[in-house]
């Protein structure tokens, strides 16, 4: 989910998402000149890379329509059906001939990263190195800032409650502590950039907005804590544990933590676009920067929203949740999608471990969205075995059109629902 998703937005998402109930590296040209060029719509042209199985042209048309309406320069879509990759596309809508998105191009995942963190936690539980009922106060040394005290209810926050956003922090009431870099640095008397440890210390001094376990409230801070818990339980860094125990068994080698500044962009990573600017969280002067490049700290956000991946990487990752891999067994997967103690939406939806979930006739729909300045992402796993990941490098533009999960998922559901036959092709061997 985006940093700006409200509880009202969540209610709308939970009520209408999951339709279908009834039924190589990026080329160069990613510097400043390209970022400016890609924002001029008048002379843009289409370049589509990759492969789509026979009869799947409707997906191309849907994505191109979404991008063209919003002047999104870079997009990627991967579609999998019953374990077979049937479409892998990169889309470029730009006047910069050097900009060419490939199916393997890397995008910031934003909150699609939460399923990665939740999978790592579940693997540690499966291996007996962590318990879902363990209290965060027993797992981490939580020291509030000088002069502050921890909320006594913090002892009721368990690993399970963190995974299900039931920890008691509510950004609609008290804001999101993971976007308070300057405030944190000033309070703790430390220089920018701050670290994850500084963010945890700052958060430890906050009063909880709800009793733990009583109220669903989407919390980036809770997933930050999960990242710290993974590192403690594994005896290695969060990133190293994920790459070795979650990604490597799936043959996924491109996924990596993202970097904040344009100079740190990975090979094959798309450029990001936004109308907005803001103060840097990397220098005391607060230098004004393009919003995607330094107005928030990607390095600190990895467990909650900082991974990079291609669309084909991400649908490959979702195969873990289909079962039959070495990463998680069936009982572990069942725990991910189990109903929480509270937070069941009126439409029957709820949040599992890193996934929104709805049980439907014939199976289960699960999904997530993500957004940062310069990033919009969605993933959908349908009850009928169809999965897709759609990644864009923008989330605002002069059109005023919204970038909600439903905006992007509904056209893809329409295409999928209209198909009577699917191709038998499997493109995974092309990319893994």
């Amino acid at each position: 989910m985006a940093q700006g998703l409200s509880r009202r937005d969540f209610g709308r998402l939970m009520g209408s998402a999951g339709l279908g109930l009834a039924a190589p590296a990026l080329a160069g040209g990613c510097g400043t000149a390209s970022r400016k060029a890609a924002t001029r719509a008048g002379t843009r042209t289409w370049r589509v890379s990759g492969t789509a199985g026979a009869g799947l042209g409707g997906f191309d048309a849907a994505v191109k329509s979404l991008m063209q309406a919003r002047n999104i320069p870079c997009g990627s879509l991967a579609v999998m059906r019953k374990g077979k990759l049937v479409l892998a596309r990169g889309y470029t809508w730009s006047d910069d001939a050097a900009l060419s998105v490939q199916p393997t191009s890397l995008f910031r995942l934003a909150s699609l990263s939460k399923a990665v963190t939740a999978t790592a936690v579940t693997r540690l539980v499966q291996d007996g190195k962590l318990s879902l009922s363990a209290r965060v106060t027993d797992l981490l040394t939580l020291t509030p800032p000088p002069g502050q005290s921890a909320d006594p209810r913090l002892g009721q926050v368990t690993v399970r409650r963190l995974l299900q956003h039931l920890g008691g922090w509510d950004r609609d009431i008290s804001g999101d502590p993971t976007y308070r870099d300057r405030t944190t640095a000033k309070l703790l008397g430390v220089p920018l950039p701050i670290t994850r440890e500084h963010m945890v210390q700052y958060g430890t001094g906050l009063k909880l907005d709800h009793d733990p376990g009583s109220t669903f409230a989407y919390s980036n801070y809770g997933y930050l804590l999960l990242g710290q818990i993974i590192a403690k339980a594994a005896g290695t860094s969060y990133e190293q544990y994920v790459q070795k125990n979650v990604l490597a068994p799936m043959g996924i080698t491109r996924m990596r933590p993202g970097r904040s500044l344009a100079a740190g962009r990975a090979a094959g990573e798309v450029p990001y676009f936004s109308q907005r600017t803001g103060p840097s969280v990397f220098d005391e002067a607060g230098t004004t920067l393009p919003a995607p490049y330094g107005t928030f700290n990607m390095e600190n956000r990895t467990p909650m929203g900082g991974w990079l991946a291609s669309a084909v990487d991400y649908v490959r990752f979702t195969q873990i949740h289909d079962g039959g891999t070495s990463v998680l067994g069936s009982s572990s997967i069942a725990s991910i999608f189990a109903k929480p103690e509270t937070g069941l939406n009126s439409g029957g939806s709820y949040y599992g471990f890193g996934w929104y979930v709805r049980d439907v006739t014939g199976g289960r729909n699960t999904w997530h969205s993500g957004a940062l300045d310069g990033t919009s992402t969605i993933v959908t796993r349908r009850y009928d075995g169809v999965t897709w990941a759609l990644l864009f490098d923008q989330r605002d533009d002069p059109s005023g059109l919204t970038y909600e999960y439903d905006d992007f998922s509904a056209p893809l559901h329409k295409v999928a629902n209209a198909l009577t036959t699917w191709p038998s092709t499997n493109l995974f061997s092309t990319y893994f």
Side-chain angles (χ1 to χ4, degrees), residues 60-288:
D60 288 337
V63 174
K64 291 170 76 172
S65 178
L66 290 168
M67 292 177 64
Q68 193 159 346
R70 294 166 176 78
N71 284 321
I72 298 173
C74 301
S76 187
L77 174 67
V79 180
M80 179 175 69
R81 181 176 184 267
K82 297 184 177 179
K84 295 181 178 181
L85 183 65
V86 294
L87 181 147
R89 287 293 209 195
Y91 304 92
T92 310
W93 174 231
S94 174
D95 62 354
D96 181 359
L99 188 61
S100 180
V101 184
Q102 303 300 313
T104 52
S105 294
L106 298 175
F107 289 72
R108 290 173 175 174
L109 289 179
S111 282
L112 268 59
S113 302
K114 288 185 171 67
V116 178
T117 296
T119 301
V121 169
T122 308
R123 175 59 185 265
L124 284 165
V125 173
Q126 178 176 283
D127 291 346
K129 297 180 179 180
L130 189 61
S131 169
L132 291 173
S133 61
R135 301 184 304 176
V136 65
T137 51
D138 293 333
L139 297 171
L140 299 175
T141 300
L142 299 177
T143 304
Q148 297 186 2
S149 59
D151 192 309
R153 294 172 294 176
L154 201 57
Q156 301 171 33
V157 179
T158 63
V159 172
R160 188 190 302 274
R161 286 173 171 170
L162 290 176
L163 288 164
Q164 297 171 332
H165 297 294
L166 299 175
W169 300 276
D170 193 331
R171 62 187 180 181
D172 289 346
I173 296 175
S174 58
D176 189 335
T178 70
Y179 286 100
R180 295 178 181 168
D181 297 57
R182 306 186 78 81
T183 300
T184 299
K186 183 176 180 180
L187 179 64
L188 299 181
V190 298
L192 291 169
I194 61 172
T195 66
R196 293 178 196 172
E197 289 74 20
H198 293 140
M199 296 168 74
V200 170
Q201 185 176 11
Y202 175 82
T204 301
L206 299 176
K207 184 179 183 296
L208 295 178
D209 300 300
H210 307 286
D211 290 338
S214 70
T215 306
F216 173 89
Y218 193 89
S219 176
N220 285 315
Y221 182 72
Y223 270 73
L224 170 70
L225 291 175
L226 287 169
Q228 299 297 94
I229 289 169
I230 289 168
K232 186 72 175 292
T236 186
S237 74
Y238 160 83
E239 289 83 358
Q240 288 174 332
Y241 182 80
V242 168
Q243 288 173 323
K244 180 179 178 180
N245 296 279
V246 175
L247 304 180
M250 301 300 296
I252 300 171
T253 59
R254 285 176 292 262
M255 282 183 65
R256 64 199 61 212
R259 296 290 176 258
S260 301
L261 305 180
R265 194 169 59 245
E269 184 179 359
V270 300
Y272 304 103
F273 301 91
S274 176
Q275 303 172 97
R276 294 189 279 267
T277 61
S280 170
V281 297
F282 288 86
D283 65 61
E284 302 300 331
T287 305
T288 299

